[in-house]
Amino acid sequence: MANYDYDLFVIGAGSGGVRAARLAAVSGARVAVAEEHRVGGTCVIRGCVPKKFMVYAAEFAHHFKIAGGYGWTVGESSFDWPAFIAEKDKEIARLSGIYVRNLQNAGAELVHGKARLVDRHTVEVAGHGMVTADKILIATGGRPWMPQDLPGAEHAISSNEAFHLKELPKRIVIAGGGYIAIEFAGIFNGLGVETTLIHRGPNVLRGFDDDVRAHIAEEMEKRGITVVLGTQHTKIEKTDAGYVSHFSDGHHCESDVVMFALGREPYTDGLGLKEAGVKLGENGAVVVDTYSRTNVENIWAVGDVTDRINLTPVAIREGQAFAETEFYDRATSFDHEMVALAVFSQPPIGSVGLSEAEARHQYGKVDIYLSRFRPMKYAFTGGDERCLVKLVVDAASEKILGCHVVGPDAPEMIQMAAIAMKMGVTKPQWDSTCAVHPTLAEELVTLREKHVPQGLGAAA
Ligand SMILES: Cc1cc2nc3c(=O)[nH]c(=O)nc-3n(C[C@H](O)[C@H](O)[C@H](O)COP(=O)(O)OP(=O)(O)OC[C@H]3O[C@@H](n4cnc5c(N)ncnc54)[C@H](O)[C@@H]3O)c2cc1C
């Protein structure tokens, strides 16, 4: 066997790369990880974690608003953005430090710099020279896609910059209909920013259940977000007062910040994948099989760079499966079925399995159980906020194919639902579970009446 500097070289110290590197190193393998930015990757540095802190910060506004219904008098409240950002950054630095220590404790070597494949066994890390490795794992993640050709696009920020704005804007225009756009709209709106969400599609959150999509758009508007669908930017103009967004429907909107959350792309620029002969898909994602193997025998890829399901726990599990297969002699592939999703919108969403449309397409006849109701918490507040719970059930086998919740704590609930659904739970088994009272979640196990969607009639 050839003599390499390392048994494994990982490019990217994010969710997937760190998990794979740590496990491989613990097995006794000689492992190095290159990171060009900060250890922890998107999730820790500019994704899930700082985003969730922002969501927590923003939620206070709603609590203050409804507190009066419960007899509270809340004094004048104000929000200190720089103080919050400083606290957030402190915590992110702490978490990144834990990632570094975990890698070191496992015995993996960390190399700071941008890595590039020179050939299938050689990696060059900027400022560190070349090293060779028996196996190479690409875990470089993704990055925001920005419409470079749009006039004035250089004035727009992405989610990366949203975490570091010097001051909280008074007005923001957010373009996009995916979960990142929805979450940031909720964050800025909650923090008192006049928020306009622009999306070119007919509704937000493409791929989610249509009832969830319609419900969240309505709830966002109730919270004060202006949601404008069916239009998109044609130009951004800088003025003395800020920016003017021009839209394809002829309207325009002034704001202090324009944020694009129009999707993310696999980050493979300058990685030397061509030189190593690694095949990329049409969207630039590294093409892999169920074991995360690329077409090059000694190169694997996990996480967002493969554009399968772009979520942290998925990247972690893919990294883990790779390490178990290659360093523990336990052939393991991650099963991408029934991965639960959360959107930390306000109110939040939890979703697992198929949407009604997908289920009808795949299974033909499905039964729908759906309830919309006012959460108990808002009983005294006079608000018109509504929750939604929905089950999609295969009519023939009674297997639950989809579970969708919009309302307080929906992301916490959906984790539990995902366990049962992963085990193939049927509606009678689900219903045999005794409710926990008084909770919002109990609605899930007390859905008895089949819902007939409008326009489908008895034939549905
Ligand atoms: C705003 C936002 C919110 C999100 N919220 C959630 C959420 O709530 N829940 C959830 O599950 N997921 C969320 N995600 C998605 C999640 O962050 C990603 O799915 C996850 O981080 C992917 O992990 P990864 O290991 O594939 O890549 P990453 O975590 O992106 O790590 C890749 C690392 O590789 C480094 N790198 C890239 N190229 C090189 C190179 N050539 N040399 C050296 N280093 C390199 C990068 O600097 C980076 O640190 C969010 C993402 C964003 C942007």
Side-chain angles (χ1 to χ4, degrees):
M1 191 175 121
N3 198 8
Y4 298 111
D5 298 326
Y6 297 101
D7 299 314
L8 172 67
F9 196 97
V10 179
I11 307 183
S15 307
V18 167
R19 174 57 63 96
R22 280 178 60 195
L23 266 184
V26 166
S27 80
R30 296 165 305 152
V31 179
V33 191
E35 173 53 56
E36 68 171 353
H37 185 50
R38 288 174 70 190
V39 175
T42 304
C43 174
V44 177
I45 309 298
R46 46 185 181 267
C48 333
V49 176
K51 181 265 314 269
K52 191 81 187 275
F53 286 131
M54 283 180 151
V55 170
Y56 285 140
E59 281 173 347
F60 281 98
H62 190 61
H63 297 323
F64 295 150
K65 197 170 154 201
I66 63 171
Y70 283 88
W72 286 93
T73 302
V74 180
E76 200 181 315
S77 61
S78 63
F79 179 68
D80 185 340
W81 172 262
F84 165 72
I85 293 294
E87 274 309 307
K88 183 237 343 151
D89 288 346
K90 217 159 70 186
E91 180 60 9
I92 299 305
R94 190 184 74 83
L95 293 174
S96 179
I98 291 174
Y99 270 69
V100 171
R101 278 197 300 283
N102 285 346
L103 275 173
Q104 288 166 344
N105 292 343
E109 197 179 311
L110 188 59
V111 191
H112 283 283
K114 185 173 175 73
R116 180 179 74 88
L117 290 170
V118 176
D119 61 42
R120 49 180 286 199
H121 284 290
T122 311
V123 182
E124 181 177 26
V125 183
H128 295 272
M130 305 233 204
V131 291
T132 57
D134 181 18
K135 296 177 172 147
I136 292 172
L137 178 68
I138 313 290
T140 51
R143 61 179 174 181
W145 177 83
M146 300 295 272
Q148 306 295 353
D149 296 341
L150 182 91
E154 69 278 9
H155 300 309
I157 64 163
S158 72
S159 58
N160 288 350
E161 292 76 40
F163 293 116
H164 299 286
L165 290 173
K166 287 220 162 50
E167 55 187 45
L168 191 62
K170 291 200 167 40
R171 305 160 298 172
I172 190 166
V173 168
I174 300 178
Y179 79 93
I180 294 177
I182 304 304
E183 290 178 339
F184 274 96
I187 288 167
F188 284 113
N189 177 61
L191 296 178
V193 179
E194 193 184 305
T195 304
T196 304
L197 183 81
I198 297 288
H199 177 49
R200 70 176 178 175
N203 210 343
V204 296
L205 290 181
R206 188 159 60 90
F208 279 72
D209 186 89
D210 286 337
D211 283 315
V212 169
R213 300 173 72 191
H215 190 87
I216 192 63
E218 246 175 65
E219 293 300 319
M220 284 166 63
E221 294 206 282
K222 285 181 195 166
R223 292 263 180 130
I225 298 168
T226 304
V227 180
V228 186
L229 300 169
T231 191
Q232 59 185 325
H233 276 88
T234 52
K235 184 166 76 168
I236 302 171
E237 209 183 332
K238 188 167 173 21
T239 65
D240 290 343
Y243 300 98
V244 180
S245 292
H246 295 266
F247 303 119
S248 51
D249 62 3
H251 286 89
H252 68 271
C253 182
E254 288 179 22
S255 67
D256 308 306
V257 171
V258 180
M259 174 176 164
F260 283 158
L262 298 168
R264 292 176 60 81
E265 57 186 2
Y267 183 26
T268 54
D269 272 12
L271 205 50
L273 293 177
K274 221 196 219 157
E275 288 78 346
V278 176
K279 194 170 157 205
L280 300 183
E282 263 174 34
N283 63 348
V286 179
V287 177
V288 289
D289 68 7
T290 49
Y291 289 94
S292 297
R293 289 182 292 223
T294 71
N295 61 311
V296 178
E297 198 196 352
N298 70 307
I299 302 180
W300 287 256
V302 294
D304 286 10
V305 76
T306 63
D307 198 23
R308 286 175 279 182
I309 299 178
N310 297 334
L311 292 173
T312 287
V314 174
I316 289 173
R317 294 293 289 272
E318 289 168 357
Q320 181 169 333
F322 155 75
E324 287 192 16
T325 306
E326 295 304 319
F327 294 94
Y328 291 83
D329 211 14
R330 284 195 296 264
T332 311
S333 65
F334 174 66
D335 176 10
H336 291 82
E337 290 294 311
M338 288 291 174
V339 172
L341 311 166
V343 180
F344 296 95
S345 44
Q346 296 177 37
I349 300 169
S351 180
V352 58
L354 302 181
S355 68
E356 181 181 336
E358 287 167 336
R360 285 192 191 287
H361 181 68
Q362 288 182 33
Y363 287 78
K365 196 165 185 310
V366 294
D367 293 329
I368 302 300
Y369 297 84
L370 184 146
S371 173
R372 280 194 187 86
F373 55 96
R374 183 165 69 177
M376 187 178 173
K377 192 172 183 179
Y378 302 139
F380 298 170
T381 64
D384 59 352
E385 186 154 330
R386 292 286 179 273
C387 289
L388 175 132
V389 297
K390 178 170 180 179
L391 293 178
V392 181
V393 180
D394 174 25
S397 66
E398 298 190 283
K399 194 175 154 192
I400 300 189
L401 304 173
C403 174
H404 311 282
V405 183
V406 187
D409 302 323
E412 305 292 336
M413 270 180 237
I414 213 67
Q415 180 69 83
M416 297 294 113
I419 298 171
M421 288 174 61
K422 184 87 183 165
M423 294 171 76
V425 68
T426 63
K427 181 73 165 51
Q429 289 168 330
W430 181 277
D431 288 349
S432 73
T433 309
C434 190
V436 179
H437 182 73
T439 64
L440 197 153
E442 70 183 302
E443 288 291 327
L444 279 171
V445 293
T446 53
L447 287 167
R448 297 284 183 263
E449 295 288 313
K450 285 182 195 166
H451 170 79
V452 181
Q454 278 179 359
L456 283 175

